[in-house]
Amino acid sequence: MNAGSTWTAYNRITDRGIAWYELGGNQWVQAKGGALLDPTRRNQVVHQNAIVKILHGAATIFNTPSAGRTSLDRRLAKDSRWRTFGYLYDGKDVWYQVGTGQWISQH
């Protein structure tokens, strides 16, 4: 699985304290990192503390993940790591909250 890719999990099991997710066709991945997106909460902020790493160039910071967003004219450097306080999945992209009124896109 590529970093930053999005997958649907169809099943979850725990074996000896380790969580595994089925991605389909009896293909399983260990739950080590990333955000588990709940499709029933689309366009809702999910409060979840995590650390994200900026992988593909600098990440532009926006004032909101919603339509009508504007850039705050600041960027997070490639390969830097940032604490997030929540995420929003809009059905196409994942947005991470890196501060009050500060959001970056997964892409």
Side-chain angles (χ1 to χ4, degrees):
M1 294 180 12
N2 293 330
S5 61
T6 303
W7 295 79
T8 300
Y10 297 98
N11 200 357
R12 179 182 189 267
I13 63 168
T14 302
D15 180 34
R16 290 173 269 217
I18 299 172
W20 293 83
Y21 293 95
E22 183 182 18
L23 303 180
N26 201 28
Q27 298 177 63
W28 295 82
V29 63
Q30 186 176 350
K32 283 188 165 184
L36 181 60
L37 305 178
D38 181 349
T40 64
R41 298 187 73 185
R42 184 177 291 180
N43 293 316
Q44 296 178 30
V45 176
V46 176
H47 298 283
Q48 175 181 332
N49 293 324
I51 302 292
V52 295
K53 181 177 179 181
I54 310 302
L55 296 175
H56 305 289
T60 301
I61 301 174
F62 291 90
N63 65 327
T64 179
S66 305
R69 64 185 153 266
T70 58
S71 168
L72 297 180
D73 293 325
R74 289 184 293 158
R75 297 179 183 270
L76 303 180
K78 181 179 187 267
D79 294 324
S80 63
R81 294 177 187 269
W82 295 88
R83 178 174 304 280
T84 65
F85 305 99
Y87 71 87
L88 179 138
Y89 174 59
D90 64 11
K92 177 181 159 190
D93 202 1
V94 179
W95 290 84
Y96 296 100
Q97 184 180 23
V98 294
T100 302
Q102 299 175 59
W103 293 83
I104 60 171
S105 169
Q106 167 187 336
H107 294 103

PDB file of all heavy atoms in Angstrom, residues 74-98:
ATOM      1  N   ARG A  74       1.002  29.784   4.157  1.00  0.00           N
ATOM      2  CA  ARG A  74       2.058  29.094   4.901  1.00  0.00           C
ATOM      3  C   ARG A  74       2.090  27.652   4.440  1.00  0.00           C
ATOM      4  O   ARG A  74       1.080  27.098   4.024  1.00  0.00           O
ATOM      5  CB  ARG A  74       1.799  29.145   6.407  1.00  0.00           C
ATOM      6  CG  ARG A  74       1.999  30.534   6.973  1.00  0.00           C
ATOM      7  CD  ARG A  74       1.829  30.555   8.462  1.00  0.00           C
ATOM      8  NE  ARG A  74       0.420  30.275   8.732  1.00  0.00           N
ATOM      9  CZ  ARG A  74      -0.039  29.818   9.870  1.00  0.00           C
ATOM     10  NH1 ARG A  74       0.770  29.561  10.861  1.00  0.00           N
ATOM     11  NH2 ARG A  74      -1.324  29.595  10.053  1.00  0.00           N
ATOM     12  N   ARG A  75       3.264  27.034   4.530  1.00  0.00           N
ATOM     13  CA  ARG A  75       3.433  25.648   4.114  1.00  0.00           C
ATOM     14  C   ARG A  75       4.202  24.874   5.177  1.00  0.00           C
ATOM     15  O   ARG A  75       5.034  25.442   5.876  1.00  0.00           O
ATOM     16  CB  ARG A  75       4.181  25.569   2.791  1.00  0.00           C
ATOM     17  CG  ARG A  75       3.447  26.208   1.638  1.00  0.00           C
ATOM     18  CD  ARG A  75       4.300  26.090   0.372  1.00  0.00           C
ATOM     19  NE  ARG A  75       3.670  26.748  -0.737  1.00  0.00           N
ATOM     20  CZ  ARG A  75       2.826  26.159  -1.576  1.00  0.00           C
ATOM     21  NH1 ARG A  75       2.515  24.904  -1.427  1.00  0.00           N
ATOM     22  NH2 ARG A  75       2.309  26.824  -2.581  1.00  0.00           N
ATOM     23  N   LEU A  76       3.911  23.571   5.231  1.00  0.00           N
ATOM     24  CA  LEU A  76       4.668  22.674   6.095  1.00  0.00           C
ATOM     25  C   LEU A  76       5.679  21.952   5.220  1.00  0.00           C
ATOM     26  O   LEU A  76       5.338  21.430   4.161  1.00  0.00           O
ATOM     27  CB  LEU A  76       3.726  21.672   6.776  1.00  0.00           C
ATOM     28  CG  LEU A  76       2.589  22.286   7.593  1.00  0.00           C
ATOM     29  CD1 LEU A  76       1.741  21.192   8.218  1.00  0.00           C
ATOM     30  CD2 LEU A  76       3.131  23.237   8.645  1.00  0.00           C
ATOM     31  N   ALA A  77       6.914  21.914   5.647  1.00  0.00           N
ATOM     32  CA  ALA A  77       8.018  21.395   4.835  1.00  0.00           C
ATOM     33  C   ALA A  77       7.902  19.891   4.582  1.00  0.00           C
ATOM     34  O   ALA A  77       7.458  19.130   5.443  1.00  0.00           O
ATOM     35  CB  ALA A  77       9.345  21.696   5.513  1.00  0.00           C
ATOM     36  N   LYS A  78       8.334  19.477   3.383  1.00  0.00           N
ATOM     37  CA  LYS A  78       8.397  18.056   3.024  1.00  0.00           C
ATOM     38  C   LYS A  78       9.254  17.320   4.054  1.00  0.00           C
ATOM     39  O   LYS A  78      10.255  17.842   4.537  1.00  0.00           O
ATOM     40  CB  LYS A  78       8.988  17.894   1.632  1.00  0.00           C
ATOM     41  CG  LYS A  78       9.057  16.445   1.178  1.00  0.00           C
ATOM     42  CD  LYS A  78       9.628  16.345  -0.227  1.00  0.00           C
ATOM     43  CE  LYS A  78       9.538  14.949  -0.748  1.00  0.00           C
ATOM     44  NZ  LYS A  78      10.687  14.129  -0.546  1.00  0.00           N
ATOM     45  N   ASP A  79       8.836  16.116   4.387  1.00  0.00           N
ATOM     46  CA  ASP A  79       9.510  15.225   5.338  1.00  0.00           C
ATOM     47  C   ASP A  79       9.392  15.673   6.796  1.00  0.00           C
ATOM     48  O   ASP A  79       9.959  15.027   7.677  1.00  0.00           O
ATOM     49  CB  ASP A  79      10.982  15.001   4.982  1.00  0.00           C
ATOM     50  CG  ASP A  79      11.137  14.239   3.676  1.00  0.00           C
ATOM     51  OD1 ASP A  79      10.306  13.351   3.401  1.00  0.00           O
ATOM     52  OD2 ASP A  79      12.084  14.538   2.929  1.00  0.00           O
ATOM     53  N   SER A  80       8.662  16.767   7.072  1.00  0.00           N
ATOM     54  CA  SER A  80       8.448  17.161   8.469  1.00  0.00           C
ATOM     55  C   SER A  80       7.250  16.390   9.032  1.00  0.00           C
ATOM     56  O   SER A  80       6.420  15.871   8.302  1.00  0.00           O
ATOM     57  CB  SER A  80       8.224  18.675   8.584  1.00  0.00           C
ATOM     58  OG  SER A  80       7.055  19.071   7.887  1.00  0.00           O
ATOM     59  N   ARG A  81       7.194  16.291  10.349  1.00  0.00           N
ATOM     60  CA  ARG A  81       6.104  15.581  11.036  1.00  0.00           C
ATOM     61  C   ARG A  81       5.321  16.584  11.878  1.00  0.00           C
ATOM     62  O   ARG A  81       5.913  17.464  12.498  1.00  0.00           O
ATOM     63  CB  ARG A  81       6.663  14.481  11.939  1.00  0.00           C
ATOM     64  CG  ARG A  81       7.329  13.373  11.164  1.00  0.00           C
ATOM     65  CD  ARG A  81       7.940  12.343  12.117  1.00  0.00           C
ATOM     66  NE  ARG A  81       8.704  11.366  11.393  1.00  0.00           N
ATOM     67  CZ  ARG A  81       8.213  10.225  10.921  1.00  0.00           C
ATOM     68  NH1 ARG A  81       6.951   9.920  11.126  1.00  0.00           N
ATOM     69  NH2 ARG A  81       8.971   9.380  10.269  1.00  0.00           N
ATOM     70  N   TRP A  82       3.990  16.388  11.903  1.00  0.00           N
ATOM     71  CA  TRP A  82       3.120  17.319  12.612  1.00  0.00           C
ATOM     72  C   TRP A  82       2.050  16.574  13.389  1.00  0.00           C
ATOM     73  O   TRP A  82       1.481  15.602  12.911  1.00  0.00           O
ATOM     74  CB  TRP A  82       2.458  18.274  11.617  1.00  0.00           C
ATOM     75  CG  TRP A  82       3.479  19.129  10.955  1.00  0.00           C
ATOM     76  CD1 TRP A  82       4.182  18.830   9.826  1.00  0.00           C
ATOM     77  CD2 TRP A  82       3.958  20.380  11.409  1.00  0.00           C
ATOM     78  NE1 TRP A  82       5.076  19.844   9.547  1.00  0.00           N
ATOM     79  CE2 TRP A  82       4.951  20.800  10.501  1.00  0.00           C
ATOM     80  CE3 TRP A  82       3.649  21.192  12.491  1.00  0.00           C
ATOM     81  CZ2 TRP A  82       5.627  22.002  10.651  1.00  0.00           C
ATOM     82  CZ3 TRP A  82       4.323  22.397  12.628  1.00  0.00           C
ATOM     83  CH2 TRP A  82       5.301  22.784  11.711  1.00  0.00           C
ATOM     84  N   ARG A  83       1.745  17.065  14.574  1.00  0.00           N
ATOM     85  CA  ARG A  83       0.647  16.525  15.383  1.00  0.00           C
ATOM     86  C   ARG A  83      -0.659  17.036  14.778  1.00  0.00           C
ATOM     87  O   ARG A  83      -0.769  18.207  14.427  1.00  0.00           O
ATOM     88  CB  ARG A  83       0.759  16.974  16.828  1.00  0.00           C
ATOM     89  CG  ARG A  83      -0.395  16.469  17.693  1.00  0.00           C
ATOM     90  CD  ARG A  83      -0.216  16.798  19.149  1.00  0.00           C
ATOM     91  NE  ARG A  83       1.041  16.308  19.694  1.00  0.00           N
ATOM     92  CZ  ARG A  83       1.255  15.046  20.086  1.00  0.00           C
ATOM     93  NH1 ARG A  83       0.316  14.151  19.970  1.00  0.00           N
ATOM     94  NH2 ARG A  83       2.425  14.699  20.577  1.00  0.00           N
ATOM     95  N   THR A  84      -1.622  16.154  14.663  1.00  0.00           N
ATOM     96  CA  THR A  84      -2.944  16.543  14.190  1.00  0.00           C
ATOM     97  C   THR A  84      -3.954  16.341  15.317  1.00  0.00           C
ATOM     98  O   THR A  84      -3.742  15.534  16.218  1.00  0.00           O
ATOM     99  CB  THR A  84      -3.384  15.729  12.963  1.00  0.00           C
ATOM    100  OG1 THR A  84      -3.537  14.358  13.334  1.00  0.00           O
ATOM    101  CG2 THR A  84      -2.373  15.851  11.839  1.00  0.00           C
ATOM    102  N   PHE A  85      -5.032  17.082  15.232  1.00  0.00           N
ATOM    103  CA  PHE A  85      -6.047  17.048  16.278  1.00  0.00           C
ATOM    104  C   PHE A  85      -7.359  16.463  15.774  1.00  0.00           C
ATOM    105  O   PHE A  85      -8.279  16.249  16.542  1.00  0.00           O
ATOM    106  CB  PHE A  85      -6.264  18.455  16.823  1.00  0.00           C
ATOM    107  CG  PHE A  85      -4.966  19.068  17.286  1.00  0.00           C
ATOM    108  CD1 PHE A  85      -4.271  19.944  16.477  1.00  0.00           C
ATOM    109  CD2 PHE A  85      -4.428  18.718  18.502  1.00  0.00           C
ATOM    110  CE1 PHE A  85      -3.063  20.480  16.887  1.00  0.00           C
ATOM    111  CE2 PHE A  85      -3.214  19.251  18.928  1.00  0.00           C
ATOM    112  CZ  PHE A  85      -2.537  20.138  18.118  1.00  0.00           C
ATOM    113  N   GLY A  86      -7.431  16.213  14.500  1.00  0.00           N
ATOM    114  CA  GLY A  86      -8.626  15.644  13.915  1.00  0.00           C
ATOM    115  C   GLY A  86      -8.469  15.560  12.410  1.00  0.00           C
ATOM    116  O   GLY A  86      -7.479  16.021  11.842  1.00  0.00           O
ATOM    117  N   TYR A  87      -9.454  14.942  11.796  1.00  0.00           N
ATOM    118  CA  TYR A  87      -9.464  14.861  10.337  1.00  0.00           C
ATOM    119  C   TYR A  87     -10.891  14.988   9.839  1.00  0.00           C
ATOM    120  O   TYR A  87     -11.851  14.820  10.594  1.00  0.00           O
ATOM    121  CB  TYR A  87      -8.820  13.564   9.838  1.00  0.00           C
ATOM    122  CG  TYR A  87      -9.650  12.326  10.101  1.00  0.00           C
ATOM    123  CD1 TYR A  87     -10.622  11.916   9.192  1.00  0.00           C
ATOM    124  CD2 TYR A  87      -9.459  11.567  11.240  1.00  0.00           C
ATOM    125  CE1 TYR A  87     -11.385  10.779   9.432  1.00  0.00           C
ATOM    126  CE2 TYR A  87     -10.213  10.441  11.484  1.00  0.00           C
ATOM    127  CZ  TYR A  87     -11.176  10.053  10.568  1.00  0.00           C
ATOM    128  OH  TYR A  87     -11.942   8.941  10.810  1.00  0.00           O
ATOM    129  N   LEU A  88     -11.018  15.294   8.568  1.00  0.00           N
ATOM    130  CA  LEU A  88     -12.304  15.339   7.895  1.00  0.00           C
ATOM    131  C   LEU A  88     -12.142  14.626   6.569  1.00  0.00           C
ATOM    132  O   LEU A  88     -11.195  14.904   5.826  1.00  0.00           O
ATOM    133  CB  LEU A  88     -12.749  16.783   7.666  1.00  0.00           C
ATOM    134  CG  LEU A  88     -14.088  16.942   6.951  1.00  0.00           C
ATOM    135  CD1 LEU A  88     -14.903  18.054   7.597  1.00  0.00           C
ATOM    136  CD2 LEU A  88     -13.912  17.209   5.477  1.00  0.00           C
ATOM    137  N   TYR A  89     -13.041  13.703   6.293  1.00  0.00           N
ATOM    138  CA  TYR A  89     -13.053  12.994   5.007  1.00  0.00           C
ATOM    139  C   TYR A  89     -14.243  13.528   4.225  1.00  0.00           C
ATOM    140  O   TYR A  89     -15.378  13.443   4.682  1.00  0.00           O
ATOM    141  CB  TYR A  89     -13.171  11.495   5.242  1.00  0.00           C
ATOM    142  CG  TYR A  89     -13.332  10.681   3.976  1.00  0.00           C
ATOM    143  CD1 TYR A  89     -12.364  10.726   2.980  1.00  0.00           C
ATOM    144  CD2 TYR A  89     -14.436   9.879   3.780  1.00  0.00           C
ATOM    145  CE1 TYR A  89     -12.500   9.988   1.818  1.00  0.00           C
ATOM    146  CE2 TYR A  89     -14.575   9.128   2.626  1.00  0.00           C
ATOM    147  CZ  TYR A  89     -13.613   9.192   1.656  1.00  0.00           C
ATOM    148  OH  TYR A  89     -13.751   8.457   0.504  1.00  0.00           O
ATOM    149  N   ASP A  90     -13.981  14.091   3.051  1.00  0.00           N
ATOM    150  CA  ASP A  90     -15.062  14.701   2.270  1.00  0.00           C
ATOM    151  C   ASP A  90     -15.593  13.793   1.161  1.00  0.00           C
ATOM    152  O   ASP A  90     -16.345  14.225   0.303  1.00  0.00           O
ATOM    153  CB  ASP A  90     -14.624  16.053   1.698  1.00  0.00           C
ATOM    154  CG  ASP A  90     -13.471  15.955   0.704  1.00  0.00           C
ATOM    155  OD1 ASP A  90     -13.112  14.827   0.275  1.00  0.00           O
ATOM    156  OD2 ASP A  90     -12.905  17.009   0.350  1.00  0.00           O
ATOM    157  N   GLY A  91     -15.206  12.533   1.186  1.00  0.00           N
ATOM    158  CA  GLY A  91     -15.625  11.593   0.154  1.00  0.00           C
ATOM    159  C   GLY A  91     -14.595  11.443  -0.942  1.00  0.00           C
ATOM    160  O   GLY A  91     -14.642  10.511  -1.733  1.00  0.00           O
ATOM    161  N   LYS A  92     -13.640  12.353  -1.003  1.00  0.00           N
ATOM    162  CA  LYS A  92     -12.602  12.329  -2.025  1.00  0.00           C
ATOM    163  C   LYS A  92     -11.211  12.488  -1.418  1.00  0.00           C
ATOM    164  O   LYS A  92     -10.264  11.854  -1.829  1.00  0.00           O
ATOM    165  CB  LYS A  92     -12.874  13.459  -3.023  1.00  0.00           C
ATOM    166  CG  LYS A  92     -11.855  13.613  -4.103  1.00  0.00           C
ATOM    167  CD  LYS A  92     -12.201  14.764  -5.017  1.00  0.00           C
ATOM    168  CE  LYS A  92     -10.986  15.253  -5.751  1.00  0.00           C
ATOM    169  NZ  LYS A  92     -11.214  16.488  -6.463  1.00  0.00           N
ATOM    170  N   ASP A  93     -11.105  13.340  -0.423  1.00  0.00           N
ATOM    171  CA  ASP A  93      -9.812  13.676   0.152  1.00  0.00           C
ATOM    172  C   ASP A  93      -9.919  13.667   1.680  1.00  0.00           C
ATOM    173  O   ASP A  93     -10.998  13.834   2.236  1.00  0.00           O
ATOM    174  CB  ASP A  93      -9.390  15.071  -0.315  1.00  0.00           C
ATOM    175  CG  ASP A  93      -7.898  15.314  -0.222  1.00  0.00           C
ATOM    176  OD1 ASP A  93      -7.159  14.395   0.186  1.00  0.00           O
ATOM    177  OD2 ASP A  93      -7.465  16.430  -0.549  1.00  0.00           O
ATOM    178  N   VAL A  94      -8.785  13.485   2.324  1.00  0.00           N
ATOM    179  CA  VAL A  94      -8.711  13.561   3.777  1.00  0.00           C
ATOM    180  C   VAL A  94      -7.988  14.858   4.121  1.00  0.00           C
ATOM    181  O   VAL A  94      -6.938  15.166   3.564  1.00  0.00           O
ATOM    182  CB  VAL A  94      -7.942  12.361   4.376  1.00  0.00           C
ATOM    183  CG1 VAL A  94      -7.860  12.473   5.889  1.00  0.00           C
ATOM    184  CG2 VAL A  94      -8.592  11.050   3.971  1.00  0.00           C
ATOM    185  N   TRP A  95      -8.582  15.601   5.051  1.00  0.00           N
ATOM    186  CA  TRP A  95      -7.999  16.854   5.530  1.00  0.00           C
ATOM    187  C   TRP A  95      -7.612  16.672   6.983  1.00  0.00           C
ATOM    188  O   TRP A  95      -8.390  16.139   7.768  1.00  0.00           O
ATOM    189  CB  TRP A  95      -9.016  17.987   5.406  1.00  0.00           C
ATOM    190  CG  TRP A  95      -9.284  18.367   3.989  1.00  0.00           C
ATOM    191  CD1 TRP A  95     -10.164  17.769   3.137  1.00  0.00           C
ATOM    192  CD2 TRP A  95      -8.642  19.395   3.272  1.00  0.00           C
ATOM    193  NE1 TRP A  95     -10.108  18.378   1.918  1.00  0.00           N
ATOM    194  CE2 TRP A  95      -9.175  19.398   1.971  1.00  0.00           C
ATOM    195  CE3 TRP A  95      -7.665  20.335   3.587  1.00  0.00           C
ATOM    196  CZ2 TRP A  95      -8.771  20.283   0.995  1.00  0.00           C
ATOM    197  CZ3 TRP A  95      -7.263  21.229   2.612  1.00  0.00           C
ATOM    198  CH2 TRP A  95      -7.810  21.194   1.335  1.00  0.00           C
ATOM    199  N   TYR A  96      -6.408  17.099   7.358  1.00  0.00           N
ATOM    200  CA  TYR A  96      -5.922  16.975   8.724  1.00  0.00           C
ATOM    201  C   TYR A  96      -5.858  18.348   9.376  1.00  0.00           C
ATOM    202  O   TYR A  96      -5.331  19.299   8.796  1.00  0.00           O
ATOM    203  CB  TYR A  96      -4.525  16.339   8.749  1.00  0.00           C
ATOM    204  CG  TYR A  96      -4.525  14.929   8.243  1.00  0.00           C
ATOM    205  CD1 TYR A  96      -4.128  14.628   6.947  1.00  0.00           C
ATOM    206  CD2 TYR A  96      -4.946  13.888   9.062  1.00  0.00           C
ATOM    207  CE1 TYR A  96      -4.138  13.329   6.483  1.00  0.00           C
ATOM    208  CE2 TYR A  96      -4.954  12.583   8.604  1.00  0.00           C
ATOM    209  CZ  TYR A  96      -4.548  12.314   7.311  1.00  0.00           C
ATOM    210  OH  TYR A  96      -4.565  11.025   6.856  1.00  0.00           O
ATOM    211  N   GLN A  97      -6.366  18.440  10.597  1.00  0.00           N
ATOM    212  CA  GLN A  97      -6.321  19.687  11.353  1.00  0.00           C
ATOM    213  C   GLN A  97      -5.007  19.744  12.112  1.00  0.00           C
ATOM    214  O   GLN A  97      -4.733  18.915  12.971  1.00  0.00           O
ATOM    215  CB  GLN A  97      -7.494  19.767  12.323  1.00  0.00           C
ATOM    216  CG  GLN A  97      -7.548  21.076  13.065  1.00  0.00           C
ATOM    217  CD  GLN A  97      -8.711  21.139  14.034  1.00  0.00           C
ATOM    218  OE1 GLN A  97      -9.229  20.123  14.470  1.00  0.00           O
ATOM    219  NE2 GLN A  97      -9.111  22.346  14.371  1.00  0.00           N
ATOM    220  N   VAL A  98      -4.170  20.738  11.784  1.00  0.00           N
ATOM    221  CA  VAL A  98      -2.854  20.871  12.419  1.00  0.00           C
ATOM    222  C   VAL A  98      -2.822  22.035  13.408  1.00  0.00           C
ATOM    223  O   VAL A  98      -1.783  22.294  14.011  1.00  0.00           O
ATOM    224  CB  VAL A  98      -1.729  21.004  11.366  1.00  0.00           C
ATOM    225  CG1 VAL A  98      -1.583  19.719  10.566  1.00  0.00           C
ATOM    226  CG2 VAL A  98      -1.971  22.187  10.443  1.00  0.00           C
TER     227      VAL A  98
END
